[in-house]
Amino acid sequence: RDSLNVSSITDNNTGRYAPVLTSAMGNTNYSLCGVTNANTGDTFGAPADLVMGINNVVTTTTTTFEMTNYSSAYVDSKYCYGHVFGDLA
């Protein structure tokens, strides 16, 4: 897939990914959002049993996106899309 301002993505564990930004954000007050799909197949609709969240580790160059099911178990998804909105340093 494509990326803008992402130099790499670290797979921290099941359902936990940390994108590393090429250019740092101006501060840690940037906005994050994302979406994911089911952990199998190519369906792009949001399934009823999968949640994408962002944990409280936010720096100017990385954060962690976390995928869980509604039972709060971490799961790997086939596709995860994250977006960062804010000013660069």
Side-chain angles (χ1 to χ4, degrees), residues 4-8 19-25 30 59-62 84:
L4 175 66
N5 197 32
V6 175
S7 61
S8 66
V20 178
L21 303 178
T22 304
S23 298
M25 301 303 290
Y30 54 90
T59 71
T60 58
T61 57
T62 192
V84 177

Side-chain angles (χ1 to χ4, degrees), residues 3-16:
S3 66
L4 175 66
N5 197 32
V6 175
S7 61
S8 66
I9 298 175
T10 303
D11 186 350
N12 290 326
N13 209 330
T14 301
R16 298 175 189 172

Side-chain angles (χ1 to χ4, degrees), residues 1 37 40-45 78-79:
R1 306 292 173 188
N37 73 327
T40 59
D42 289 323
T43 304
F44 285 92
K78 186 168 183 178
Y79 300 107

Side-chain angles (χ1 to χ4, degrees), residues 9-19 55 63-68 72-77 80:
I9 298 175
T10 303
D11 186 350
N12 290 326
N13 209 330
T14 301
R16 298 175 189 172
Y17 309 96
N55 75 4
T63 188
T64 302
F65 289 96
E66 300 179 337
M67 275 51 72
T68 62
S72 298
Y74 289 102
V75 294
D76 283 330
S77 298
C80 306

